[in-house]
Amino acid sequence: MNRSATHVNEFVLLGFPGSWKIQIFLFMLFLVFYVLTLLGNGAIICAVRCDARLHTPMYFLLGNFAFLEIWYVSSTTPNTLANILSKTKAISFSGCFLQFYFFFSLGTTECFLLSVMAYDRYLAICRPLHYPVIMTRRLCCILVSSCWLIGFLGYPIPVFSISQLPFCGSNVIDHFLCDMEPLMALSCAPAPITKFVLYVQNSFFLFFTLAYILRSYILLLRAVFQVPSAAGRRKAFSTCGSHLVVVSLFYGTVMIMYMSPTYGISTLMHKILTLVYSAMTPLLNPLIYSLRNKDMKLALRKVLIEMRIVKTI
């Protein structure tokens, strides 16, 4: 990145200010959350790979979603942990914009992957006879690859444009990560076009994927209510309920952050909302999917038993 237009070589992330005891408490809390997130999502990946009963499109997508969540939380949490213990709380200019790029790219990939998972459930319940023919392994790979490509090809130009703004004043960011609004607020030259383009792009990604998910579930729920047996309806609701909970958690907090007027929201609330969708959601996803899914619970139990056997050998 060209830094000739800026006098800033690094940024200071204030994080969550407080006494040293509070910082140690936050460090331990975030570390526990991070480790549990890695273990939970890693367990889902192992279960999907090791259990032949889970070699279906739904669990293939779930395994990829768990893989994405590991990278998503890793784009911010390690630096947050280091920042808590740091005396300077500094992050390099390039490091800040790399974090900004990966954070937004992975978040966008998650939006599209959630919509693909909704499409999979729609086909499975609304078109069960055509499902095996349509939702092939090849189509799953194409859809997942497209989610990653869209996510990572959508932000190089906007992020590069923001990095070229002149940062000639303060370099202090009152946040625990490098986000769009705090970075643009530090620029000493307004960039309304860049801000507008990024806002429109974020809005399009969010509304397009959310509208598709809602449409899929409206059609899906209509089909579920037509199922004659109560047991069939319960099974359909159980497989879709987990996905809806994840969608609600992720989109609810993201849209409050980026789609609603934020003038009345305090800086602390901004940080808490960001923490929910960047750290809490990846932590809760394995619990939501495993506790509400009988096949996943059996597969996870099988993985744990095999790990114990390996340890005893």
Side-chain angles (χ1 to χ4, degrees):
M1 294 179 183
N2 179 19
R3 281 182 252 179
S4 60
T6 179
H7 301 294
V8 173
N9 293 317
E10 63 181 19
F11 294 99
V12 177
L13 294 172
L14 293 182
F16 295 90
S19 65
W20 182 245
K21 288 184 179 180
I22 293 176
Q23 297 300 304
I24 294 297
F25 170 75
L26 289 175
F27 177 85
M28 296 303 299
L29 183 66
F30 289 172
L31 180 62
V32 169
F33 283 178
Y34 184 53
V35 172
L36 290 177
T37 301
L38 297 182
L39 291 175
N41 286 284
I44 287 179
I45 295 172
C46 291
V48 172
R49 285 181 59 87
C50 298
D51 196 323
R53 292 172 300 179
L54 303 186
H55 292 175
T56 63
M58 182 180 78
Y59 292 108
F60 174 77
L61 295 174
L62 180 57
N64 278 275
F65 186 70
F67 177 74
L68 169 64
E69 291 293 62
I70 289 175
W71 283 102
Y72 188 49
V73 72
S74 296
S75 69
T76 57
T77 304
N79 183 76
T80 301
L81 292 171
N83 180 266
I84 290 173
L85 298 181
S86 172
K87 292 183 178 179
T88 61
K89 300 187 180 298
I91 182 172
S92 68
F93 186 91
S94 298
C96 185
F97 279 96
L98 279 174
Q99 184 188 71
F100 177 29
Y101 170 70
F102 279 104
F103 182 64
F104 271 72
S105 297
L106 289 165
T108 301
T109 303
E110 180 162 340
C111 290
F112 281 93
L113 192 52
L114 285 171
S115 63
V116 170
M117 294 170 73
Y119 172 66
D120 173 73
R121 291 300 82 209
Y122 159 74
L123 285 179
I125 294 175
C126 297
R127 302 182 65 184
L129 298 179
H130 299 90
Y131 179 73
V133 179
I134 298 175
M135 206 64 179
T136 61
R137 181 83 174 188
R138 182 173 179 272
L139 179 61
C140 285
C141 292
I142 291 173
L143 291 174
V144 170
S145 300
S146 299
C147 293
W148 286 89
L149 284 173
I150 294 171
F152 277 82
L153 293 179
Y155 286 95
I157 294 176
V159 172
F160 179 78
S161 299
I162 296 175
S163 72
Q164 298 305 294
L165 295 175
F167 297 94
C168 51
S170 173
N171 66 339
V172 178
I173 300 176
D174 193 3
H175 212 318
F176 63 89
L177 55 80
C178 294
D179 206 351
M180 178 182 71
E181 288 289 342
L183 280 170
M184 298 197 73
L186 293 182
S187 174
C188 51
I193 296 177
T194 301
K195 187 173 183 179
F196 176 75
V197 169
L198 197 53
Y199 177 82
V200 170
Q201 180 176 312
N202 290 338
S203 302
F204 174 76
F205 287 154
L206 284 171
F207 282 118
F208 174 78
T209 54
L210 182 59
Y212 184 83
I213 291 170
L214 292 176
R215 176 185 175 275
S216 298
Y217 273 94
I218 289 171
L219 295 174
L220 187 150
L221 289 173
R222 188 173 65 180
V224 168
F225 284 121
Q226 293 175 355
V227 175
S229 66
R233 287 195 297 270
R234 280 197 300 270
K235 184 177 180 181
F237 277 124
S238 66
T239 56
C240 302
S242 306
H243 189 243
L244 281 174
V245 171
V246 172
V247 168
S248 300
L249 282 173
F250 181 76
Y251 276 92
T253 51
V254 169
M255 295 190 78
I256 291 174
M257 278 293 297
Y258 297 105
M259 297 285 90
S260 63
T262 57
Y263 301 108
I265 301 178
S266 66
T267 303
L268 178 60
M269 185 56 65
H270 271 267
K271 296 177 185 179
I272 293 173
L273 289 172
T274 305
L275 192 63
V276 169
Y277 70 81
S278 67
M280 292 299 297
T281 304
L283 171 66
L284 294 175
N285 286 347
L287 295 174
I288 293 169
Y289 280 113
S290 60
L291 292 178
R292 293 180 59 88
N293 191 300
K294 183 179 178 180
D295 292 335
M296 182 59 67
K297 285 190 285 187
L298 291 173
L300 290 173
R301 192 177 296 118
K302 179 182 176 182
V303 170
L304 292 174
I305 292 172
E306 290 178 353
M307 289 176 61
R308 289 177 183 175
I309 293 174
V310 171
K311 286 182 179 180
T312 56
I313 296 176

